[in-house]
Amino acid sequence: MKLSALVVLAVTGLAIAQHAPSTLPKVKFTDTRLDNGLRVIVSEDHYAPVYAICVAYKVGSKDERPGRTGFAHLFEHMMFKGTENVGVGELDFLIYTNGGNSNGTTNTDRTSYYEVLPKNQLDLGLYLEADRMHALAITPENLENQRQAVKEERRQSVDNQAYGQTSEKLEELVYDNFAYHHPVVGSMQDLDAASVDDVKQFFKTYYAPNNAVLALVGDLDTKETLAKVKKYFGAIPRETPPTLVNLAEAPKTAERRAVVQDPLARLQRIDIAYRIPPAGDADTRALGVAASILGGGGGGFGGRGGGGGNTSRLYNLLVQEKELAVQVSANADRRAGPGMFRISATIRQGKSAQEVEGLISEEISKLHSQPVSEQELKRVRMAVRRGAENRLTALSRAQALADAAAVYDDPNRINAELDAQLAVNAPDIMRAAKADLVNANKSVVITQPAPRSQQQ
């Protein structure tokens, strides 16, 4: 029997409204592999005379080893320092003077590089990406220059930033496997220890065509584009595939806690995290919805984001009603391996971290025992739909296709994931909360302003 999208079914004693899938058009693409192993995804979109190119390498901080952390992020910088054919700074100059823009990003699971250019500059984008895949200039001067740049970035974003140490401490508690136990930016000691030979070997191992995905989206002709991709990338030799990293974690059996004394913090902050399954797990998708309900913003789906929406449970309770916190957020950090469900609250002067934690624990318990309301689910679904519409640019689609292929071996996630998120219901959230949001799986970091004598 065909059911209406508005019909209500009784399942496990709960009323579950069935919601229509997204009406956004599916992203059409071709998926091709060159003889050297490079995976090439092309999606035509003739709406505007531009195209986006994204190269995602299957290497992130998870692939690093003890004593050599920060290499994935260091390479994000090295890849802009020139090649045997393109001088230092020339890549950005060529892109900007031809009406484009470029950048790169690194996370735990992959490193990607991208450009947006006018459609008549397809050869330029392909040449520049193929050139640095094959002929990156790894010199002592370039290494030292970018080593110092990354160290300065760490100073600005971690060491000299209020609450900068908090996230690193939390990940140390959540993860036991070294892959996710250490920070993406790496340590000062490991960056200092990196040699040119270390960097060359890292490049040879991970920056090979058979360890990369090239995605192009925009005003392109697929047949012509593939011919040009083969022209520029086809002769780059494949390398021995890197060893896959085991991301498995043994189950946690007890709550873990730490206190960080922060000389730059002016208010107490509490961060609570639970280890959750990998991104492809249905429970993790449900926990993304739960994070949005608790902490707002719909950011639970972003993989690396969050936000304190003013209609969320914890914002209404801790910020507005009880006036215990000045800020609260929740997000589900979804990864190729185990992810992290995180709640953060910055506490008002004179208020108690223990009281805030107690109220957060009560809200977590409600997820175990009480179905979330249909109104809350509608709010999250609306945010998910709005977010999907905001990510319709050529660049967003190129990044999504490249990331999904590189990290999950499934570029069609760009089409399937939205409907899967919209289908999450109240029983899904209760099941996931009971499985993962439990005290034995809980880690807590309380960040305290350091005594006045330690403040800078």
Side-chain angles (χ1 to χ4, degrees):
M1 179 178 65
K2 187 175 181 180
L3 298 177
S4 164
L6 298 178
V7 75
V8 176
L9 302 176
V11 179
T12 64
L14 300 173
I16 307 172
Q18 300 300 296
H19 289 269
S22 168
T23 57
L24 289 178
K26 300 299 184 184
V27 177
K28 297 179 180 179
F29 59 89
T30 61
D31 189 356
T32 307
R33 287 189 188 271
L34 303 191
D35 291 341
N36 61 6
L38 179 66
R39 189 169 190 175
V40 184
I41 299 171
V42 181
S43 178
E44 293 188 31
D45 179 357
H46 304 287
Y47 179 76
V50 299
Y51 79 98
I53 178 172
C54 181
V55 183
Y57 291 91
K58 303 175 189 179
V59 57
S61 58
K62 67 175 174 54
D63 299 280
E64 297 162 356
R65 59 185 174 86
R68 289 297 182 269
T69 64
F71 271 45
H73 181 231
L74 176 65
F75 253 95
E76 179 197 321
H77 289 253
M78 290 286 292
M79 288 284 278
F80 289 90
K81 292 304 292 180
T83 70
E84 297 172 5
N85 307 301
V86 177
V88 176
E90 191 175 354
L91 181 145
D92 284 335
F93 178 81
L94 288 169
I95 291 170
Y96 295 153
T97 55
N98 281 282
N101 60 76
S102 67
N103 212 329
T105 68
T106 309
N107 64 29
T108 54
D109 297 320
R110 62 94 184 105
T111 307
S112 72
Y113 306 88
Y114 58 85
E115 293 85 39
V116 179
L117 284 160
K119 63 175 294 185
N120 64 355
Q121 295 299 325
L122 177 59
D123 287 88
L124 176 63
L126 291 173
Y127 170 77
L128 291 174
E129 286 297 350
D131 182 53
R132 62 179 171 177
M133 178 185 286
H134 178 59
L136 186 67
I138 302 175
T139 66
E141 295 76 19
N142 284 349
L143 173 58
E144 184 58 28
N145 179 279
Q146 292 313 294
R147 188 201 329 261
Q148 296 306 319
V150 172
K151 289 170 68 175
E152 182 59 26
E153 184 176 337
R154 179 182 170 86
R155 293 186 189 99
Q156 291 182 1
S157 63
V158 179
D159 298 336
N160 296 328
Q161 182 70 244
Y163 311 107
Q165 305 286 341
T166 301
S167 292
E168 290 190 357
K169 176 55 67 175
L170 194 65
E171 292 202 339
E172 289 176 10
L173 297 181
V174 171
Y175 297 107
D176 297 315
N177 188 325
F178 183 77
Y180 289 158
H181 183 76
H182 69 284
V184 173
V185 72
S187 73
M188 291 287 198
Q189 294 81 2
D190 290 355
L191 290 170
D192 283 335
S195 70
V196 170
D197 287 342
D198 291 333
V199 175
K200 286 182 176 180
Q201 185 58 51
F202 191 90
F203 180 76
K204 180 179 175 64
T205 301
Y206 295 106
Y207 279 71
N210 53 303
N211 201 50
V213 176
L214 169 64
L216 300 109
V217 176
D219 195 3
L220 305 164
D221 176 87
T222 299
K223 184 177 180 180
E224 176 190 3
T225 299
L226 286 173
K228 290 189 174 185
V229 169
K230 292 176 183 177
K231 171 185 174 182
Y232 290 108
F233 288 86
I236 303 174
R238 68 166 60 233
E239 299 289 345
T240 302
T243 303
L244 293 178
V245 177
N246 181 4
L247 300 175
E249 294 272 356
K252 293 173 63 180
T253 58
E255 181 181 300
R256 300 174 181 179
R257 306 181 72 90
V259 175
V260 172
Q261 298 289 339
D262 189 338
L264 298 175
R266 294 297 178 263
L267 294 172
Q268 269 193 313
R269 195 171 97 178
I270 184 168
D271 288 82
I272 301 171
Y274 303 85
R275 190 193 299 156
I276 60 178
D281 193 285
D283 280 2
T284 297
R285 191 176 295 114
L287 290 171
V289 178
S292 294
I293 290 171
L294 286 180
F301 297 119
R304 293 292 183 272
N310 60 13
T311 59
S312 69
R313 290 187 181 187
L314 291 177
Y315 184 91
N316 288 335
L317 177 65
L318 298 177
V319 178
Q320 293 188 322
E321 180 184 340
K322 300 291 186 181
E323 296 186 345
L324 294 173
V326 297
Q327 176 274 340
V328 63
S329 65
N331 66 73
D333 181 356
R334 302 169 69 189
R335 307 182 180 190
M340 177 171 30
F341 184 99
R342 178 175 178 177
I343 299 169
S344 175
T346 305
I347 301 165
R348 286 185 181 273
Q349 188 73 40
K351 301 301 182 179
S352 165
Q354 288 70 32
E355 184 176 1
V356 170
E357 182 179 355
L359 291 171
I360 292 173
S361 295
E362 288 179 14
E363 291 299 323
I364 295 293
S365 295
K366 289 178 184 178
L367 293 180
H368 293 188
S369 59
Q370 302 173 21
V372 299
S373 70
E374 186 59 27
Q375 182 179 0
E376 289 174 312
L377 286 172
K378 286 181 178 178
R379 176 179 66 80
V380 175
R381 288 174 182 135
M382 185 179 298
V384 170
R385 292 178 188 272
R386 183 172 61 248
E389 291 173 357
N390 290 339
R391 292 190 292 271
L392 288 178
T393 66
L395 176 58
S396 294
R397 280 174 286 167
Q399 290 176 306
L401 287 165
D403 280 5
V407 179
Y408 306 109
D409 194 26
D410 181 16
N412 198 52
R413 282 174 63 91
I414 195 172
N415 294 317
E417 187 62 18
L418 175 57
D419 286 341
Q421 291 171 5
L422 294 174
V424 170
N425 57 40
D428 293 333
I429 293 172
M430 291 182 70
R431 181 192 67 247
K434 289 178 181 178
D436 297 295
L437 306 186
V438 296
N439 286 339
N441 190 35
K442 179 180 177 182
S443 295
V444 181
V445 174
I446 295 177
T447 305
Q448 297 178 342
R452 187 173 298 274
S453 61
Q454 297 180 30
Q455 293 186 358
Q456 297 177 347

